[in-house]
């Protein structure tokens, strides 16, 4: 038998909650379950709330819950309220310091882990650029414990959150640096040494960034989305700069926006630095990630 407040707030969320297409895991019910748990003092991600035993709320906690539901309905992302976000089976810390990892980025994550597991290298070197909260870097580090993993981001705030996440997922050896694209690794230690380079870059055109829903534009860093006038400014730089870091036979993998897959595939195929190009598609058949092998 559910508490009357639960039933009342569930009805409100069912009526008013707008779930964004790129956060498909959220429902009125699991949103309420997460917020109820939070009001009871347990910050949980969606995946954790299903089996959690959650306490009843006293009057003060009920007021907290009402305020949390108001904030969610006003557009604050669920994971900013709970401070938790699921990504590829991991629970990560989340905040306004970095993009909330999206389910669609798991396409790139799975492709990268597949490549990593296929490498004939004892302790592969892995670098994740535009790392945000460190989700891809840490998913790879957890899936391939033998790998040495580094990440970087232009945003100092994102790097600080990524560093917190290393402890949170149990890979405190993963290092994160602040800097522009490949710059933190553009030195003798890394040049020509990296086995796998991943990147989920900003790829939305500047004009479209202005039109994004309030839940995104009002709460997530613009720097995480803005890919310049045509959306591909960072991707172009990545394709140009990544080969310097990769060893012959090493792989570059990156995410692209809808409609960018075919032109970026052609660009990689025309580039002499690469000798093999692969695409990875979503459930609708749209290309959402690309892989290119550094020429041997
Ligand atoms: C789309 S988000 C990806 C975040 C995270 N990797 C993920 O998959 O959720 C892009 C990230 O690129 C970072 N960024 C933007 N411009 C950059 C640049 N020139 N060099 C490095 N990072 C940059 C942003 O701060 C943001 O964290």
């Amino acid at each position: 038998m559910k508490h009357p407040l639960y039933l009342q707030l569930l009805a409100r969320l069912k009526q008013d909650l707008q779930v964004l297409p790129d956060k498909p895991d959220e429902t009125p019910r699991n949103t309420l379950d997460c917020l109820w748990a939070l009001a009871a003092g347990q910050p949980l991600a969606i995946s954790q709330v299903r089996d959690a035993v959650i306490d009843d709320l006293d009057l003060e906690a009920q007021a907290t819950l009402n305020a949390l539901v108001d904030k969610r309905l006003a557009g604050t992302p669920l994971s900013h309220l709970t401070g938790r976000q699921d990504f590829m089976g991991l629970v990560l810390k989340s905040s306004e310091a970095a993009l909330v990892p999206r389910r669609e980025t798991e396409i790139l994550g799975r492709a990268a882990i597949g490549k990593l597991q296929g490498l004939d290298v004892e302790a592969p070197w892995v670098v994740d650029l535009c790392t945000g909260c460190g989700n891809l870097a840490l998913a790879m580090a957890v899936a391939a414990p033998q790998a040495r993993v580094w990440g970087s981001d232009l945003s100092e705030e994102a790097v600080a959150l990524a560093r917190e996440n290393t402890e949170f997922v149990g890979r405190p050896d993963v290092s994160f640096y602040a800097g522009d694209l490949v710059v933190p690794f553009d030195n003798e230690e890394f040049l020509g040494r990296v086995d796998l380079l991943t990147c989920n870059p900003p790829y939305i055109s500047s004009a479209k960034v202005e039109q994004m829903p309030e839940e995104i534009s009002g709460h997530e860093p613009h720097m995480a989305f803005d890919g310049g006038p045509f959306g591909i400014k960072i991707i172009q730089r990545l394709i140009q700069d990544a080969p310097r870091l990769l060893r012959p036979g090493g792989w570059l993998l990156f995410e692209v926006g809808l409609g960018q897959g075919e032109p970026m595939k052609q660009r990689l195929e025309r580039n002499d630095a690469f000798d093999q190009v692969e695409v990875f598609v979503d459930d609708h058949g749209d290309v959402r990630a690309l892989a290119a092998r550094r020429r041997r």
Side-chain angles (χ1 to χ4, degrees):
M1 183 64 184
K2 288 284 186 193
H3 194 289
L5 178 63
Y6 185 98
L7 296 175
Q8 179 204 323
L9 291 175
L10 183 60
R12 205 175 149 210
L13 284 161
K14 279 184 176 166
Q15 184 171 308
D16 296 335
L17 181 67
Q18 308 272 347
V19 175
L20 295 180
D22 59 354
K23 293 178 180 164
D25 297 336
E26 288 176 32
T27 64
R29 187 174 291 276
N30 63 28
T31 295
L32 180 55
D33 289 346
C34 283
L35 297 180
W36 187 288
L38 185 63
Q42 292 182 66
L44 299 176
I46 288 174
S47 67
Q48 297 173 303
V49 87
R50 221 170 294 134
D51 305 318
V53 178
I54 295 159
D55 293 339
D56 248 359
L57 302 182
D58 61 22
L59 284 180
E60 194 184 342
Q62 288 183 25
T64 303
L65 175 62
N66 273 310
L68 287 167
V69 170
D70 286 346
K71 280 190 186 168
R72 179 67 195 99
L73 289 175
T76 305
L78 178 62
S79 66
H80 287 181
L81 295 170
T82 60
R84 300 288 181 272
Q85 176 64 27
D86 292 298
F87 186 74
M88 299 195 78
L90 298 180
V91 173
L92 296 160
K93 285 194 178 187
S94 175
S95 78
E96 48 290 324
L99 181 94
V100 176
R102 300 301 206 268
R103 176 52 80 97
E104 63 198 16
T105 299
E106 297 192 0
I107 296 170
L108 171 61
R110 282 193 297 274
I113 288 168
K115 285 276 173 263
L116 196 48
Q117 289 169 342
L119 287 175
D120 193 13
V121 181
E122 207 170 302
W125 282 31
V126 177
V127 168
D128 179 45
L129 305 177
C130 298
T131 200
C133 71
N135 49 314
L136 282 164
L138 293 168
M140 292 187 286
V142 168
Q146 76 285 11
R148 292 187 63 186
V149 182
W150 296 263
S152 68
D153 199 285
L154 190 57
S155 156
E156 301 263 4
E157 292 81 10
V159 167
L161 181 61
R163 286 182 182 143
E164 283 182 42
N165 271 325
T166 62
E167 301 282 347
F168 207 61
V169 305
R171 278 295 307 255
D173 56 303
V174 176
S175 301
F176 290 103
Y177 305 115
D180 184 17
L181 215 57
V182 301
V183 170
F185 306 100
D186 212 347
N187 57 55
E188 254 178 41
E189 190 188 358
F190 286 93
L191 289 178
R193 288 288 307 275
V194 175
D195 295 287
L196 196 88
L197 185 67
T198 55
C199 183
N200 176 16
Y203 52 66
I204 312 284
S205 67
S206 305
K208 281 196 184 151
V209 171
E210 300 302 321
Q211 298 156 11
M212 290 190 307
E214 156 68 16
E215 181 179 333
I216 300 177
S217 64
H219 297 273
E220 297 189 81
H222 279 214
M223 203 202 288
F225 299 99
D226 194 343
F230 304 105
I232 56 169
K233 191 178 77 181
I234 304 282
I235 296 178
Q236 283 176 313
R237 289 179 54 209
L238 178 71
I239 293 173
Q240 183 182 316
D241 292 346
R244 283 208 300 287
L245 264 54
L246 289 168
R247 64 143 170 97
W251 286 91
L252 164 68
L253 292 105
F254 60 95
E255 182 168 315
V256 288
L258 286 174
Q260 294 171 342
E262 191 51 38
M264 291 308 111
K265 177 171 174 270
Q266 289 175 13
R267 197 175 280 253
L268 289 165
E269 285 169 343
R270 286 197 305 267
N271 189 324
D272 275 349
F274 302 106
D275 65 1
Q276 194 176 321
V277 178
E278 293 174 22
V279 297
F280 300 87
V281 298
D282 63 15
D283 291 345
H284 307 289
D286 292 312
V287 175
R288 296 311 311 273
L290 289 140
R293 191 174 64 182
R294 179 84 173 95
R295 190 173 290 283
R296 289 172 196 272

